[in-house]
Structures are given as C-alpha cells and as structure tokens.
Amino acid sequence: MSADSIIQATNLEKHYNEGEIKALDGVTASIKRGEVVVVIGPSGSGKSTFLRCLNLLELPTGGQILFEGIDITDKKADINLHRQKMGMVFQHFNLFPHMTILKNMTLAPMKLLKKSQAEAEKQALALLERVGLADRANAYPSQLSGGQKQRIAIVRALCMDPEVMLFDEPTSALDPEMVGEVLEVMKELAREGMTMVVVTHEMGFAREMADRVIFMADGRIVEEGSPQEIFSSPSQPRTRDFLAKVL
C-alpha cells in the first residue's frame, strides 16, 4: 500500500448463488488521500457492489481492503469505527421521516462521536448554511424536494467528520432540474480536497471533477486513467463501446 493511499482494495470478489454470479471478479484499486475517483460503467457492472464493499455494507467473498493501513476485512477489525470515517450517500436519501432535518443530522454525531447537543447542532447548522438550506432545519423530510433531501443527506454524512465520502449514484433518483444543485455541493467538496469515490452516470461531473476515472464491466476494472484519457482516447474496445452509447 503506497504511503498516500487511504483505501487499498486487492483482488476483491463478490459472488452470489454459490459463485454462479460474479458481481466482483478480482478488483484491485487504490484511492489516494484527497483524490476524486469516479467509477463508471453499464448497469450490472459491479460499480455499486464495489463501492458498498469499501465500507463492508457488502461483505466481499474474497480479497482484502486496507483502510488507512488496517485490514478491515479481518474479522477482528472494528468495522463500526472505520465506517464512521467513511461517509456514504445513497441513491435514495435514507433520512428518518419522523425526525426534523436538524435531528437527522445531529443523531449520529451525538451518539457515535459523543458530541454535545450544542456542538452537534452548531456544526449541523453551519453545514446547512453552506448548502443553502439553513431555513429548513426544523422541516421534516416530506416537506423537501428530492434535490434538497439529497443535499441534506450529503451534509448529514459530513457531520461525522469523515475522511472519505462514498457516493452511490447520488443523482439517479432525482428530477433532471435538481441534479445540478446536488452536483454543485459535490464539486465544492472536491475542490476542498475531500477524498471521494463516486459511482455515477453523470459523465459531465466525471469529466470536470475526477482526478481518475475507473471504467468497470462484468465485475472487473476494464481500464482507468485521467478523464482526458478515458473520454478522449480510451484504449479498450469495451470502454469505447460504452462511451459511444452514453456520450
């Protein structure tokens, strides 16, 4: 594992149906601190499975994941401790419907990081301010648009002071006019140097913000490189074929 890698996945495998379905088929990738890595590929290529394996929401069938040099696939590792350092934003917002936005944001920091209510609320309100939703602190999720909910989901993850942010198709459930407001928050994070792994169909975001693009198909990494390399001169026919369909 190189000194500046924060995550190193080696030969990751995820099989279903006793090995008949190989969602991941020997994936090796490293994520450097401060890097924005965007994972693209057709549906069913293993992108989301790969992302969910990084914080063990999916348990790999084989392989190893080092997070900050610690093997989190080791049964003895305290996965909850490491998971706190990885913020996760899903396609669907996973907000608690019966709690206000502020309560949604302060629950985990108070419970897991043992922050006081005042401290947790101060941080939450500053983050809400940052994404233009300070006036919605006492609203309930049902009173917000999809784009607002997703911005809340992002800042809720940031309340845990994560070292890495994992995004699993964060805009795919949104109406087209709301996609921009969510991508803007993600771009802002990227500019500030947050380590990010983003599974997305938003090729414009990949082109503009990624340090590195990984193209996956059939549970494998087919190729990876800078946005310029992947989008302008991909070396693999499978990548060229995919990009011809989506660009």
Side-chain angles (χ1 to χ4, degrees), residues 102 105 120-132 134 155:
L102 190 60
M105 293 178 67
E121 286 185 355
K122 184 180 175 190
Q123 182 188 27
L125 289 167
L127 285 164
L128 285 173
E129 180 79 45
R130 187 173 144 177
V131 295
V155 288

Side-chain angles (χ1 to χ4, degrees), residues 129-142:
E129 180 79 45
R130 187 173 144 177
V131 295
L133 292 172
D135 59 335
R136 311 301 281 164
N138 295 312
Y140 286 86
S142 61

Side-chain angles (χ1 to χ4, degrees), residues 90-116:
F90 301 90
Q91 192 170 347
H92 299 286
F93 325 112
N94 295 12
L95 298 172
F96 295 114
H98 60 291
M99 290 183 185
T100 64
I101 296 310
L102 190 60
K103 191 88 177 100
N104 261 287
M105 293 178 67
T106 55
L107 183 69
M110 286 166 66
K111 208 168 173 172
L112 300 171
L113 302 182
K114 305 289 184 252
K115 290 189 177 182
S116 69

Side-chain angles (χ1 to χ4, degrees), residues 11-176:
N11 209 18
L12 275 195
E13 305 203 339
K14 178 65 180 177
H15 299 167
Y16 298 100
N17 288 7
E18 296 174 345
E20 277 180 43
I21 298 169
K22 295 185 175 173
L24 293 180
D25 192 10
V27 169
T28 294
S30 76
I31 313 295
K32 295 194 182 82
R33 205 174 279 282
E35 189 177 31
V36 177
V37 176
V38 176
V39 186
I40 62 170
S43 292
S45 58
K47 311 182 296 290
S48 289
T49 306
F50 169 59
L51 196 73
R52 293 167 72 89
C53 280
L54 293 182
N55 65 357
L56 300 195
L57 281 179
E58 295 266 5
L59 289 173
T61 312
Q64 184 190 52
I65 300 162
L66 297 180
F67 177 64
E68 297 187 316
I70 291 163
D71 180 1
I72 60 172
T73 44
D74 182 344
K75 299 260 188 298
K76 293 194 279 291
D78 180 353
I79 182 53
N80 290 323
L81 186 67
H82 298 293
R83 216 178 255 149
Q84 286 173 25
K85 300 177 186 177
M86 296 193 219
M88 180 101 185
V89 178
F90 301 90
Q91 192 170 347
H92 299 286
F93 325 112
N94 295 12
L95 298 172
F96 295 114
H98 60 291
M99 290 183 185
T100 64
I101 296 310
L102 190 60
K103 191 88 177 100
N104 261 287
M105 293 178 67
T106 55
L107 183 69
M110 286 166 66
K111 208 168 173 172
L112 300 171
L113 302 182
K114 305 289 184 252
K115 290 189 177 182
S116 69
Q117 185 173 345
E119 192 186 0
E121 286 185 355
K122 184 180 175 190
Q123 182 188 27
L125 289 167
L127 285 164
L128 285 173
E129 180 79 45
R130 187 173 144 177
V131 295
L133 292 172
D135 59 335
R136 311 301 281 164
N138 295 312
Y140 286 86
S142 61
Q143 299 169 297
L144 304 183
S145 71
Q148 289 173 324
K149 285 182 204 168
Q150 196 58 298
R151 283 186 280 161
I152 298 291
I154 294 172
V155 288
R156 179 182 58 176
L158 293 176
C159 282
M160 291 296 291
D161 306 320
E163 303 198 14
V164 179
M165 284 286 282
L166 307 175
F167 293 88
D168 189 7
E169 301 197 12
T171 58
S172 61
L174 299 178
D175 293 336

